[in-house]
Amino acid sequence: MSERASVLEVKHLSAHFETEQGIVRAVDDVSFSVKEGETVCVVGESGCGKSVTAMSVMGLVQTDVKGDLFFKGKNLAELSRGDLRRVRGNDLAMIFQEPMSSLNPVLTIGEQIMEPLLVHHPYSKKQARHKAIELIELVGIGRAEQIFKSYPHQLSGGMLQRIMIAIALSCDPDMLIADEPTTALDVTIQAQVLDLLRTLQEERNMSMLLITHDLGVVAEVADFVVVMYAGKVIETGTVHDIFASPKHPYTKGLLYAKPVLGNRTKKLYTIPGQVPNLVDLTPSCYFHERCEHAMDICREKMPTLKLEDRQHVACWLYEKEVKG
Ligand SMILES: Nc1ncnc2c1ncn2[C@@H]1O[C@H](COP(=O)(O)OP(=O)(O)OP(=O)(O)O)[C@@H](O)[C@H]1O
Ligand code: SF4
Ligand SMILES: [Mg+2]
C-alpha cells in the first residue's frame, strides 16, 4: 500500500508567552504530521499546550510562533498574505470547544453559515442561502429552513455544535481542526456529534486533528495519537500501539486513569501531582516529580523523542545507554 501524503506537517513548533511571572513555554519544539484522510488526536491534561498548538496552526495566537508549518507540502511562512488567508479560511477549518462563544448572538444561524460562503466563494446570496440550508441538513438537523432563521440562543448545545461543524465544512476544507468539540455536551449528544464528525470525515476523505483530554474519544476516532505533556510531545504512535502498549509512564498513567466498565468498586486512579508551572521549567524530564521510575538523569537532562518499537517516546527508560 502506498504511503499517504502528509496534509499538515508541524515541525519544531514553539509558542512562548511573555508574562509578568516570566516566559510561559506553552508549546515547545512540537513536531507531528497529519496524513490524507487520517484522524490524529492530540491528548494530554489541562494546560499541556493542546489548544495553543491548534491555534498556532491557525495563526490565532498573539505571540511569536517559531518552527515550520507545511500544508499540502507548502511552507505557510512562504505564502503571500492572500494565499495564507485562503489556506486558513478555506482549506483548513477549525471548530472550538464552546460553540456559544464562537457564534454571534445577534446574527441568525443562516447569516453565520452564509458569511464564509460569501467571503471565500463567488456565491450569490441566493446560492449561499441554498448551500447553507444544505449544510444544516448535512449535519443532521431537521427543519433546516426554520433553523436557518433562528438565533443561537434558540438552539441546544448539541445543535450549536452541529452548526459550528456546518460552518467549518462550508468551504469544503481538506483538514478540520476540532478543539474539544464534544466536551461541553452531554454523553449521548457527544456520541452523536463524534459519529457525525467521523462520517463526514470518511465521506470527504478529510484529515482531522482532534484535540481532547478524553481517551474514550481517542479510542473511537483516532488513527494516530500525539501525547503532550507540559508543552512537549512525549509519545506518538498508532491508536492501536498507544492503547495496546503505551511506553511513556505518563501515557500509561492516562490510560490507567480511564474508567473501565465493571470496576465500580475500585477508586478511580489519578496521576499523582500536577503539571509543572510552565514558567519554571529546568532542563529535565518535566514528568519527573510525578514519575515512580524517576532516576537521577531524569532530574538533570531532558529526554528526546526516540523510536522504540513502533512508537516515538521521550523517556530515559528507553535510552539504551541508561538501561545498560
Ligand atoms: N495568551 C497567553 N498568555 C500566557 N499564557 C498562555 C496564553 N495562552 C495559553 N497560555 C498558557 O499556555 C499553557 C497551555 O495552554 P493551552 O490552552 O494550550 O492548554 P490545553 O492543553 O488546551 O488545556 P485545556 O485542556 O484546559 O484546554 C497554559 O499554561 C496556559 O495558561
Ligand atoms: S524520563 Fe524518567 S522521570 Fe521522565 S517519564 Fe521517563 S522514567 Fe519517568
Ligand atoms: Mg484547550
Side-chain angles (χ1 to χ4, degrees), residues 17 19 24 26 45-53 97 180 213 278:
F17 297 96
T19 66
V24 177
E45 281 165 297
S46 187
C48 69
K50 305 182 297 293
S51 293
V52 175
T53 300
Q97 179 172 348
E180 307 268 10
H213 60 270
L278 299 184

Side-chain angles (χ1 to χ4, degrees), residues 84-137:
L84 192 58
R85 211 175 312 123
R86 259 186 295 282
V87 168
R88 284 183 170 143
N90 244 342
D91 304 338
L92 244 175
M94 179 158 175
I95 47 180
F96 300 88
Q97 179 172 348
E98 283 292 340
M100 259 328 242
S101 54
S102 316
L103 288 167
N104 188 334
V106 298
L107 294 179
T108 64
I109 296 296
E111 285 169 316
Q112 299 189 61
I113 303 181
M114 280 167 63
E115 194 196 325
L117 293 169
L118 293 168
V119 172
H120 296 290
H121 288 273
Y123 279 119
S124 67
K125 259 198 148 166
K126 193 171 165 205
Q127 287 167 325
R129 187 179 193 284
H130 185 72
K131 175 86 180 165
I133 290 181
E134 263 180 20
L135 283 162
I136 298 175
E137 286 166 353

Side-chain angles (χ1 to χ4, degrees), residues 5-230:
S6 282
V7 172
L8 175 72
E9 282 178 80
V10 174
K11 292 189 173 171
H12 308 292
L13 182 77
S14 292
H16 297 175
F17 297 96
E18 275 185 45
T19 66
E20 279 179 11
Q21 289 73 40
I23 294 174
V24 177
R25 294 170 202 279
V27 173
D28 204 26
D29 199 13
V30 161
S31 301
F32 63 88
S33 62
V34 185
K35 297 196 165 65
E36 215 175 73
E38 182 182 56
T39 297
V40 172
C41 279
V42 179
V43 285
E45 281 165 297
S46 187
C48 69
K50 305 182 297 293
S51 293
V52 175
T53 300
M55 304 281 247
S56 303
V57 172
M58 292 303 286
L60 297 173
V61 288
Q62 306 294 326
T63 189
D64 248 4
V65 171
K66 300 215 163 56
D68 290 312
L69 297 168
F70 290 85
F71 189 73
K72 297 210 288 192
K74 288 194 182 127
N75 188 340
L76 294 190
E78 288 167 9
L79 295 185
S80 66
R81 279 184 136 195
D83 285 344
L84 192 58
R85 211 175 312 123
R86 259 186 295 282
V87 168
R88 284 183 170 143
N90 244 342
D91 304 338
L92 244 175
M94 179 158 175
I95 47 180
F96 300 88
Q97 179 172 348
E98 283 292 340
M100 259 328 242
S101 54
S102 316
L103 288 167
N104 188 334
V106 298
L107 294 179
T108 64
I109 296 296
E111 285 169 316
Q112 299 189 61
I113 303 181
M114 280 167 63
E115 194 196 325
L117 293 169
L118 293 168
V119 172
H120 296 290
H121 288 273
Y123 279 119
S124 67
K125 259 198 148 166
K126 193 171 165 205
Q127 287 167 325
R129 187 179 193 284
H130 185 72
K131 175 86 180 165
I133 290 181
E134 263 180 20
L135 283 162
I136 298 175
E137 286 166 353
L138 178 77
V139 294
I141 305 182
R143 302 176 290 117
E145 297 267 355
Q146 192 185 332
I147 297 297
F148 181 90
K149 292 185 223 147
S150 310
Y151 288 89
H153 73 270
Q154 295 172 306
L155 271 58
S156 69
M159 281 169 119
L160 289 174
Q161 198 52 292
R162 284 172 190 266
I163 295 297
M164 292 308 300
I165 296 171
I167 294 173
L169 294 182
S170 64
C171 294
D172 223 351
D174 296 306
M175 180 164 173
L176 181 65
I177 300 183
D179 189 357
E180 307 268 10
T182 58
T183 311
L185 308 174
D186 71 49
V187 181
T188 329
I189 309 295
Q190 221 178 64
Q192 289 170 3
V193 170
L194 269 187
D195 257 0
L196 171 69
L197 279 174
R198 199 170 34 191
T199 310
L200 291 168
Q201 188 240 338
E202 278 168 14
E203 281 172 7
R204 294 163 172 244
N205 196 33
M206 192 169 62
S207 306
M208 190 150 74
L209 181 66
L210 195 140
I211 290 169
T212 181
H213 60 270
D214 184 340
L215 283 163
V217 170
V218 179
E220 284 279 309
V221 300
D223 296 305
F224 196 79
V225 183
V226 174
V227 186
M228 284 187 75
Y229 186 76

